[in-house]
């Protein structure tokens, strides 16, 4: 599986990024993958390669490039509960500095770069995201309704911007929530807001999961839930990205 380390020109400099894509010599539909708050690391690279193996060009940007190349902070091989407080104490200033204005400016640059790659076929793209990256994926899809055909977010605070964001979505939406993040009542309210906005979506809770369940280098990891996430994501992309 070919991989590349790339540098994406942005309004504020250059974002380092990781890309994975099939070794077929053909062009493939593009997928922009937003990492969780821990950023680009071996588990994200492995997930990008897994997705690329199903016929997609996957671009994973360093969200916090303004603070340095990935990894922006030192991360242990396993991010256990005993180290999470110290890690988040370093990460939260970076997350808080990543304002909506910066998110949208970067999204413009990421999509422009992704669609210009010689290995990427013309046509719509998809955006996926994990944790805070799920919210960034939703914002990106809402800001590029003619270009983003599918958006998927996993254990992400996708309702943080309220119904105004939903009203701008034209992409097909898939939301996989951690049981520890979302009560059935809150899920009902979120889904009602999506219905009211006329969004085509699937939104469901993964039973027995806590926040971060897709990430195998954390205590939150749930192998069955990770597989379920792939079982939902691949059909969504196959349906929406013609000619992948």
């Amino acid at each position: 599986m070919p991989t590349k380390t790339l540098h994406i020109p942005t309004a504020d400099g250059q974002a380092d990024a990781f890309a994975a894509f099939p070794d077929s010599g053909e062009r493939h539909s593009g997928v922009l993958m937003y990492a969780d708050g821990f950023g680009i690391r071996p588990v994200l690279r492995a997930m990008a390669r897994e997705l690329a193996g199903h016929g997609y060009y996957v671009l994973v940007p360093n969200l916090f490039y303004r603070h340095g190349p990935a990894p922006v902070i030192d991360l242990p091989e396993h991010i256990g509960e005993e180290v999470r407080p110290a890690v988040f104490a370093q990460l939260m200033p970076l997350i808080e500095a990543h304002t909506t204005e910066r998110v949208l400016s970067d999204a413009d640059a990421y999509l422009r770069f992704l669609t210009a790659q010689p290995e990427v076929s013309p046509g719509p793209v998809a955006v996926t995201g994990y944790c805070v990256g799920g919210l960034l994926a939703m914002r990106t899809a809402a800001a590029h309704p003619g270009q983003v055909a599918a958006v998927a977010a996993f254990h992400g605070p996708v309702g943080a911007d309220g119904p105004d964001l939903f009203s701008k979505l034209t992409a097909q939406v898939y939301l996989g929530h951690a049981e520890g993040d979302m009560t059935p009542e809150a899920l009902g309210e979120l889904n009602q807001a999506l219905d009211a906005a006329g969004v085509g979506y699937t939104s469901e809770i993964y039973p027995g999961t806590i926040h971060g369940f897709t990430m195998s280098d954390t205590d939150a990891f749930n192998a069955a839930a990770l597989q379920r996430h792939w079982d939902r994501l691949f059909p969504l992309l196959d349906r929406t990205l013609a000619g992948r």
Side-chain angles (χ1 to χ4, degrees):
M1 181 69 60
T3 61
K4 289 182 180 178
T5 298
L6 301 165
H7 293 87
I8 304 172
T10 74
D12 292 330
Q14 284 198 332
D16 52 303
F18 172 79
F21 49 94
D23 186 16
S24 63
E26 300 175 352
R27 300 171 79 184
H28 300 273
S29 293
V31 179
L32 175 62
M33 177 185 284
Y34 284 116
D36 60 358
F38 297 126
I40 298 176
R41 58 197 192 284
V43 67
L44 260 295
R45 295 174 187 272
M47 292 173 77
R49 287 193 294 267
E50 176 76 16
L51 183 50
H54 285 256
Y56 299 100
Y57 183 106
V58 185
L59 180 68
V60 190
N62 171 20
L63 305 179
F64 307 129
Y65 69 88
R66 293 174 179 84
H67 307 275
V72 179
I73 68 168
D74 290 329
L75 290 171
E77 283 188 26
H78 185 83
I79 308 167
E81 289 306 312
E82 71 283 357
V83 299
R84 281 178 72 93
V87 170
F88 268 104
Q90 295 177 273
L91 285 173
M92 284 311 297
L94 310 186
I95 294 171
E96 290 168 355
H98 201 49
T99 61
T100 302
E101 181 180 13
R102 285 181 168 182
V103 170
L104 296 179
S105 174
D106 288 348
D108 291 346
Y110 298 157
L111 290 178
R112 186 165 55 245
F113 183 88
L114 173 62
T115 55
Q117 296 311 295
E119 301 90 353
V120 176
S121 59
V125 301
V127 187
T128 69
Y130 302 88
C131 181
V132 66
L135 176 59
L136 307 192
M138 293 286 279
R139 288 175 175 170
T140 299
H144 297 269
Q147 187 173 20
V148 177
V151 58
F154 300 91
H155 47 80
V158 293
D161 291 352
D164 286 350
L165 182 144
F166 300 153
S167 67
K168 300 171 185 173
L169 289 167
T170 60
Q172 289 293 308
V173 176
Y174 177 80
L175 306 175
H177 311 285
E179 188 175 51
D181 289 341
M182 182 77 69
T183 65
E185 293 76 19
L187 179 68
E189 293 174 5
L190 174 66
N191 292 353
Q192 283 182 351
L194 290 164
D195 285 332
V199 176
Y201 72 95
T202 299
S203 173
E204 59 183 350
I205 293 172
Y206 284 35
T209 59
I210 60 174
H211 184 76
F213 59 78
T214 58
M215 298 297 158
S216 62
D217 60 353
T218 73
D219 287 349
F221 179 59
N222 183 309
L226 174 64
Q227 185 57 52
R228 179 174 177 167
H229 132 281
W230 291 126
D231 291 344
R232 299 295 193 269
L233 182 57
F234 293 142
L236 172 72
L237 300 185
D238 289 346
R239 287 196 310 270
T240 55
L241 298 182
R244 69 186 179 90

